[in-house]
Amino acid sequence: MSITADPTPDTSNGDHSVPADRPAIQIGGEAETIRVLTAALGQGALPDVYVCGGQLVHLSRVSGKAAGAAEHAHQAASGALPVQADPLTASSLAWLLAHHAYVYRDKFNKQTDQWEQVEASPTKAALSAVLSTRYWPDVRPLTGVVTSPVLRPDGTLLQTAGYDTPTGLYYAPNTAMPHIPAQPSTQEVTDAREFVLGTLLRDFPFVAPADKANHIGLLVAPILRPYLGCLTPFGLISATTQSSGKTLLAEIPGYLYGRKHLVWRKGDDSELEKSITSALHSTAPVMLWDNLAEGTEVNSAVLAKLLTGPQWDARMLGSNGAGFEAANDRLWLATGNNIRLGGDMATRTALVRLDPNDPHPDQRDQTGFGIPHLDDWLKKPANRVTVLRHLLILVMDWINAGAPRSGHTMRQFTSWADAAGGFLAHHSIDGFLDNLEEMREADDENTEWTAFLAQWHELHGDQRLRSKVLCHSAEPQLIGDQLVDRWEGTFLTDDRDRILSPKSIGKLLTGHVGRWHGRHVLRSTLDKHANSLVFWVETSPEQAQPDHDHTSAADDQTALM
């Protein structure tokens, strides 16, 4: 059995004409059919078949209710990807073989007493067996689908449509992009910078330069990702009020690269995991949780783990079955008014704040805007090309300058922070990540612990206490004829606002030993005589800050602008 480019079927008993551009694949028994089909796939017998994570996928287009130009226009306006990578199944593999190959077997014709070549379809069992292996060394690897030019690891720009061997990316532009010069002129760079800062982002009410710089750093992240090979932090766009422009600001990268909207369900990590898993079946480079409920606290162990892991595993919460794995190569964004952060999210987030300082921001006259009605303007493919072209020119100018770095560090996102900071500094865009203090203030957990440890040190100094004694000190004391809370509301409580038990507080304290909150740090050691842990609080003069009035500790938990 073999694979040939020009089969010669016997036509004596009928018309067995074969398109000249189809490879011929001769099959036989079940075992041999499995071997032949495996070899055919490895030799590229079928178009647009790649391997991704050990699984064969096929790049295909999806039809909808619209057709022709109308469908293309809708796709382009939504930022949808023109192709998607679908895992091959037995059925889809049979379809591809029927349309792109001539699969045949030898059959003996008793009437003519001769062997004939007859077109055939492999059995479902054989097709499933072929797809069961995860080792495809001769099949081209697919690392992703992009709709815009991106930077290769060597600093060159991928801008030719189709499969790119150095990166394993498939470039499928929604609309034609002009060629980006490898060495932009000084005038092109000046024009690009003026467009991005003076036109595209001019009318957004950023609170500080850091907010604009952070957004631009996130905006170019999909372009830089293949070059850097790194994770990007959670992008949070938080505003003081409605109609501030937060959704539009998040939609800019969504329109440029393709985005998918996700639903945020507060406090439900199980549903969040399902939402993320479903989203990662899409090839959209930008994932957006838009308009979270006002005052939402973003505090999720699932989201925190997603952001700092290069690979997403749907079984992370203990689900059974084969599960789902995908590379975490997306830009994750969220918008909302006065959004809070909890847990470890503050160290995983790039903050962008908006404050229109206007009682009716929705009624602002846009006639003087850099781009009036930017939302409608971005829906036109030619306008998105304009934005992309200017961003790419700025990126290539940075590359030609040696891609200088800034020295910024940020948890698992240091590669992005260092490069994005260098890119922004190269173009004289100041303030990148300068709002880290605001991030700490937005961290509800850190704010709570800062007030708790400060009051602990105020009441007990460096005295070593067992958790039982500490809890006893939190009980209101009768002074004169009044009950007084010496902790002034800063002692840790449960979800029902009740003082924690000695056992619960002991476990909680153990988890924070050695962690700084403000200028205080919790210490612990084993009291051998009592055979129990004792805790105390130390203060660092180097980190000393003005003392706060603890009666207004709640005021420190101000909402994000």
Side-chain angles (χ1 to χ4, degrees):
M1 306 301 174
S2 62
I3 306 169
T4 62
D6 185 19
T8 54
D10 187 344
T11 59
S12 61
N13 193 39
D15 181 12
H16 295 278
S17 60
V18 181
D21 58 345
R22 291 190 186 182
I25 304 175
Q26 183 181 8
I27 62 174
E30 198 85 341
E32 190 164 7
T33 296
I34 294 171
R35 291 192 293 270
V36 169
L37 291 179
T38 301
L41 289 168
Q43 294 171 16
L46 299 179
D48 296 323
V49 171
Y50 304 90
V51 62
C52 182
Q55 185 174 30
L56 291 183
V57 298
H58 177 248
L59 285 182
S60 59
R61 298 178 182 272
V62 179
S63 298
K65 294 182 180 180
E71 180 180 11
H72 178 76
H74 170 74
Q75 173 181 278
S78 66
L81 295 176
V83 298
Q84 65 183 38
D86 296 317
L88 276 184
T89 63
S91 298
S92 59
L93 179 53
W95 189 95
L96 288 173
L97 288 168
H99 285 81
H100 298 287
Y102 177 70
V103 182
Y104 68 95
R105 68 172 71 250
D106 286 341
K107 182 179 180 180
F108 186 76
N109 189 326
K110 293 182 180 180
Q111 294 179 349
T112 62
D113 196 30
Q114 292 182 348
W115 288 91
E116 298 176 351
Q117 294 177 353
V118 179
E119 188 172 16
S121 181
T123 65
K124 184 176 181 179
L127 295 170
S128 298
V130 170
L131 297 175
S132 66
T133 181
R134 295 178 62 83
Y135 182 60
W136 297 95
D138 298 321
V139 178
R140 293 181 296 180
L142 181 70
T143 58
V145 179
V146 294
T147 60
S148 65
V150 294
L151 206 59
R152 296 188 182 99
D154 64 359
T156 60
L157 195 63
L158 164 57
Q159 53 182 327
T160 301
Y163 182 76
D164 184 60
T165 300
T167 61
L169 292 170
Y170 191 95
Y171 175 33
N174 272 326
T175 188
M177 277 287 300
H179 180 77
I180 306 299
Q183 295 182 327
S185 68
T186 301
Q187 187 61 51
E188 286 176 317
V189 174
T190 300
D191 292 346
R193 187 180 184 279
E194 174 57 31
F195 175 83
V196 173
L197 298 177
T199 302
L200 179 67
L201 301 178
R202 188 187 77 184
D203 303 305
F204 287 94
F206 295 105
V207 172
D211 303 293
K212 179 185 290 187
N214 290 357
H215 181 261
I216 298 174
L218 293 169
L219 189 58
V220 298
I223 298 174
L224 300 182
R225 183 187 295 278
Y227 173 66
L228 299 173
C230 67
L231 298 168
T232 51
F234 183 59
L236 175 61
I237 303 175
S238 184
T240 55
T241 186
Q242 298 176 354
S243 301
S244 300
K246 57 187 179 297
T247 294
L248 181 53
L249 199 60
E251 288 284 15
I252 293 176
Y255 274 123
L256 296 183
Y257 311 114
R259 87 292 198 194
K260 182 177 179 61
H261 287 274
L262 286 72
V263 177
W264 181 270
R265 291 181 174 85
K266 181 180 178 181
D268 193 337
D269 271 359
S270 177
E271 286 299 318
L272 181 60
E273 182 197 26
K274 294 177 183 177
S275 176
I276 292 171
T277 300
S278 175
L280 286 173
H281 278 88
S282 162
T283 50
V286 179
M287 301 295 180
L288 174 61
W289 286 284
D290 192 26
N291 276 319
L292 274 61
E294 187 165 3
T296 293
E297 181 191 41
V298 178
N299 182 3
S300 166
V302 167
L303 181 57
K305 186 174 181 63
L306 164 73
L307 294 169
T308 52
Q311 198 78 10
W312 169 260
D313 182 355
R315 295 167 296 182
M316 58 164 43
L317 293 184
S319 60
N320 297 320
F324 169 76
E325 294 182 359
N328 176 23
D329 54 359
R330 316 302 169 91
L331 176 62
W332 302 88
L333 303 174
T335 72
N337 294 329
N338 301 317
I339 303 302
R340 307 291 309 175
L341 296 171
D344 289 331
M345 287 303 300
T347 59
R348 292 169 163 87
T349 301
L351 174 64
V352 178
R353 301 167 302 161
L354 299 176
D355 181 9
N357 193 28
D358 188 328
H360 304 290
D362 57 317
Q363 299 178 16
R364 286 176 292 177
D365 183 7
Q366 296 200 13
T367 56
F369 278 27
I371 302 178
H373 307 291
L374 180 58
D375 51 344
D376 291 329
W377 187 87
L378 282 169
K379 292 177 182 178
K380 298 179 180 179
N383 293 335
R384 294 202 298 274
V385 167
T386 297
V387 178
L388 266 174
R389 179 178 176 277
H390 286 306
L391 289 174
L392 290 165
I393 284 175
L394 293 177
V395 168
M396 294 311 299
D397 182 65
W398 172 67
I399 288 293
N400 287 322
R405 301 302 203 262
S406 64
H408 282 88
T409 60
M410 187 182 183
R411 201 162 181 158
Q412 285 92 335
F413 316 109
T414 291
S415 294
W416 167 80
D418 195 20
F423 166 80
L424 292 163
H426 174 71
H427 292 294
S428 302
I429 302 173
D430 300 326
F432 182 59
L433 295 182
D434 281 356
N435 54 9
L436 293 180
E437 185 60 34
E438 286 81 356
M439 291 294 299
R440 284 189 284 268
E441 291 176 0
D443 186 343
D444 284 345
E445 182 181 25
N446 182 66
T447 301
E448 182 180 12
W449 274 86
T450 298
F452 170 64
L453 295 183
Q455 189 68 359
W456 179 338
H457 192 265
E458 178 73 20
L459 293 174
H460 301 291
D462 58 1
Q463 182 181 356
R464 302 188 178 196
L465 303 174
R466 295 167 56 191
S467 58
K468 183 176 182 179
V469 175
L470 185 67
C471 286
H472 179 71
S473 75
E475 297 176 359
Q477 297 184 6
L478 185 62
I479 299 179
D481 57 352
Q482 292 184 341
L483 284 176
V484 176
D485 175 15
R486 295 198 303 151
W487 284 82
E488 300 177 357
T490 63
F491 200 87
L492 301 179
T493 59
D494 60 17
D495 293 338
R496 298 182 180 180
D497 204 29
R498 298 178 302 188
I499 297 296
L500 295 173
S501 68
K503 184 176 182 180
S504 296
I505 195 70
K507 291 182 178 180
L508 195 59
L509 294 177
T510 300
H512 280 259
V513 169
R515 185 183 302 182
W516 287 90
H517 294 282
R519 60 190 180 96
H520 297 94
V521 62
L522 183 64
R523 303 297 188 191
S524 175
T525 190
L526 178 66
D527 184 343
K528 296 181 179 179
H529 296 290
N531 194 28
S532 65
L533 291 174
V534 291
F535 304 90
W536 70 99
V537 175
E538 293 179 355
T539 299
S540 171
E542 291 78 12
Q543 299 185 26
Q545 301 169 355
D547 290 332
H548 294 285
D549 180 359
H550 300 305
T551 59
S552 60
D555 295 337
D556 287 340
Q557 301 184 30
T558 53
L560 271 177
M561 297 185 72

mmCIF file of all heavy atoms in Angstrom, residues 21 33 53 78 229 247 381 396 447 456 483 498 510 540 547 555:
data_model
loop_
_atom_site.group_PDB
_atom_site.id
_atom_site.type_symbol
_atom_site.label_atom_id
_atom_site.label_comp_id
_atom_site.label_asym_id
_atom_site.label_seq_id
_atom_site.Cartn_x
_atom_site.Cartn_y
_atom_site.Cartn_z
ATOM 1 N N ASP A 21 -4.805 17.337 -8.734
ATOM 2 C CA ASP A 21 -4.130 17.949 -7.591
ATOM 3 C C ASP A 21 -4.360 17.185 -6.298
ATOM 4 O O ASP A 21 -3.989 17.664 -5.228
ATOM 5 C CB ASP A 21 -4.594 19.395 -7.426
ATOM 6 C CG ASP A 21 -6.109 19.493 -7.226
ATOM 7 O OD1 ASP A 21 -6.809 18.497 -7.497
ATOM 8 O OD2 ASP A 21 -6.578 20.563 -6.794
ATOM 9 N N THR A 33 -4.042 0.338 7.009
ATOM 10 C CA THR A 33 -4.693 1.626 6.777
ATOM 11 C C THR A 33 -4.251 2.643 7.816
ATOM 12 O O THR A 33 -3.979 3.812 7.496
ATOM 13 C CB THR A 33 -6.225 1.468 6.829
ATOM 14 O OG1 THR A 33 -6.636 0.629 5.755
ATOM 15 C CG2 THR A 33 -6.919 2.819 6.724
ATOM 16 N N GLY A 53 -0.117 21.044 20.777
ATOM 17 C CA GLY A 53 -0.207 20.338 22.046
ATOM 18 C C GLY A 53 -0.398 18.845 21.881
ATOM 19 O O GLY A 53 -1.083 18.208 22.684
ATOM 20 N N SER A 78 -16.323 43.003 14.274
ATOM 21 C CA SER A 78 -16.335 42.413 15.612
ATOM 22 C C SER A 78 -14.950 42.051 16.099
ATOM 23 O O SER A 78 -14.772 41.691 17.268
ATOM 24 C CB SER A 78 -17.214 41.149 15.609
ATOM 25 O OG SER A 78 -16.629 40.145 14.795
ATOM 26 N N GLY A 229 8.170 35.940 24.631
ATOM 27 C CA GLY A 229 7.830 34.608 25.136
ATOM 28 C C GLY A 229 7.480 34.632 26.606
ATOM 29 O O GLY A 229 7.954 33.796 27.375
ATOM 30 N N THR A 247 -14.859 50.844 28.858
ATOM 31 C CA THR A 247 -15.124 49.772 27.905
ATOM 32 C C THR A 247 -14.453 50.059 26.578
ATOM 33 O O THR A 247 -13.834 49.178 25.966
ATOM 34 C CB THR A 247 -16.634 49.599 27.700
ATOM 35 O OG1 THR A 247 -17.222 49.144 28.930
ATOM 36 C CG2 THR A 247 -16.931 48.586 26.606
ATOM 37 N N PRO A 381 -12.476 48.604 9.316
ATOM 38 C CA PRO A 381 -11.168 47.941 9.200
ATOM 39 C C PRO A 381 -10.033 48.884 8.823
ATOM 40 O O PRO A 381 -8.929 48.754 9.352
ATOM 41 C CB PRO A 381 -11.417 46.894 8.108
ATOM 42 C CG PRO A 381 -12.875 46.600 8.178
ATOM 43 C CD PRO A 381 -13.520 47.901 8.534
ATOM 44 N N MET A 396 8.949 48.836 15.911
ATOM 45 C CA MET A 396 10.143 48.609 15.091
ATOM 46 C C MET A 396 11.218 49.651 15.360
ATOM 47 O O MET A 396 12.418 49.350 15.298
ATOM 48 C CB MET A 396 9.766 48.592 13.605
ATOM 49 C CG MET A 396 8.875 47.420 13.199
ATOM 50 S SD MET A 396 9.494 45.817 13.794
ATOM 51 C CE MET A 396 11.085 45.717 12.972
ATOM 52 N N THR A 447 -4.886 46.051 53.026
ATOM 53 C CA THR A 447 -5.347 47.186 53.828
ATOM 54 C C THR A 447 -5.828 46.726 55.194
ATOM 55 O O THR A 447 -5.536 47.349 56.227
ATOM 56 C CB THR A 447 -6.485 47.919 53.093
ATOM 57 O OG1 THR A 447 -6.004 48.381 51.828
ATOM 58 C CG2 THR A 447 -6.965 49.114 53.894
ATOM 59 N N TRP A 456 -2.207 46.206 66.596
ATOM 60 C CA TRP A 456 -1.589 45.179 67.456
ATOM 61 C C TRP A 456 -0.318 45.761 68.079
ATOM 62 O O TRP A 456 -0.112 45.658 69.297
ATOM 63 C CB TRP A 456 -1.281 43.955 66.599
ATOM 64 C CG TRP A 456 -0.620 42.802 67.312
ATOM 65 C CD1 TRP A 456 0.090 42.832 68.475
ATOM 66 C CD2 TRP A 456 -0.603 41.438 66.888
ATOM 67 N NE1 TRP A 456 0.550 41.593 68.812
ATOM 68 C CE2 TRP A 456 0.141 40.705 67.843
ATOM 69 C CE3 TRP A 456 -1.116 40.764 65.800
ATOM 70 C CZ2 TRP A 456 0.362 39.336 67.730
ATOM 71 C CZ3 TRP A 456 -0.897 39.395 65.687
ATOM 72 C CH2 TRP A 456 -0.169 38.682 66.637
ATOM 73 N N LEU A 483 -18.529 49.978 77.349
ATOM 74 C CA LEU A 483 -17.728 48.929 76.727
ATOM 75 C C LEU A 483 -16.896 49.547 75.613
ATOM 76 O O LEU A 483 -17.423 50.238 74.741
ATOM 77 C CB LEU A 483 -18.626 47.827 76.152
ATOM 78 C CG LEU A 483 -19.247 46.849 77.157
ATOM 79 C CD1 LEU A 483 -20.191 45.885 76.443
ATOM 80 C CD2 LEU A 483 -18.147 46.055 77.882
ATOM 81 N N ARG A 498 -17.697 38.331 62.991
ATOM 82 C CA ARG A 498 -17.488 37.833 64.346
ATOM 83 C C ARG A 498 -15.992 37.618 64.583
ATOM 84 O O ARG A 498 -15.258 37.225 63.675
ATOM 85 C CB ARG A 498 -18.241 36.520 64.561
ATOM 86 C CG ARG A 498 -19.751 36.633 64.418
ATOM 87 C CD ARG A 498 -20.429 35.280 64.590
ATOM 88 N NE ARG A 498 -19.931 34.301 63.631
ATOM 89 C CZ ARG A 498 -20.468 33.088 63.458
ATOM 90 N NH1 ARG A 498 -21.512 32.723 64.202
ATOM 91 N NH2 ARG A 498 -19.980 32.255 62.567
ATOM 92 N N THR A 510 -0.336 32.171 61.155
ATOM 93 C CA THR A 510 0.780 31.360 60.660
ATOM 94 C C THR A 510 1.003 31.588 59.167
ATOM 95 O O THR A 510 2.140 31.619 58.686
ATOM 96 C CB THR A 510 0.510 29.873 60.931
ATOM 97 O OG1 THR A 510 0.358 29.670 62.353
ATOM 98 C CG2 THR A 510 1.659 29.009 60.434
ATOM 99 N N SER A 540 9.575 48.302 61.072
ATOM 100 C CA SER A 540 10.832 48.668 60.428
ATOM 101 C C SER A 540 10.921 50.181 60.319
ATOM 102 O O SER A 540 10.093 50.816 59.665
ATOM 103 C CB SER A 540 10.907 48.052 59.025
ATOM 104 O OG SER A 540 12.021 48.565 58.329
ATOM 105 N N ASP A 547 1.716 57.779 61.057
ATOM 106 C CA ASP A 547 0.692 56.984 61.727
ATOM 107 C C ASP A 547 -0.687 57.413 61.275
ATOM 108 O O ASP A 547 -0.961 58.586 61.042
ATOM 109 C CB ASP A 547 0.807 57.149 63.255
ATOM 110 C CG ASP A 547 2.049 56.471 63.802
ATOM 111 O OD1 ASP A 547 2.505 55.485 63.186
ATOM 112 O OD2 ASP A 547 2.555 56.936 64.834
ATOM 113 N N ASP A 555 -11.752 54.243 56.153
ATOM 114 C CA ASP A 555 -11.558 55.265 55.129
ATOM 115 C C ASP A 555 -10.353 54.967 54.251
ATOM 116 O O ASP A 555 -10.249 55.460 53.130
ATOM 117 C CB ASP A 555 -11.386 56.647 55.768
ATOM 118 C CG ASP A 555 -12.642 57.090 56.493
ATOM 119 O OD1 ASP A 555 -13.716 56.570 56.138
ATOM 120 O OD2 ASP A 555 -12.539 57.940 57.396
#
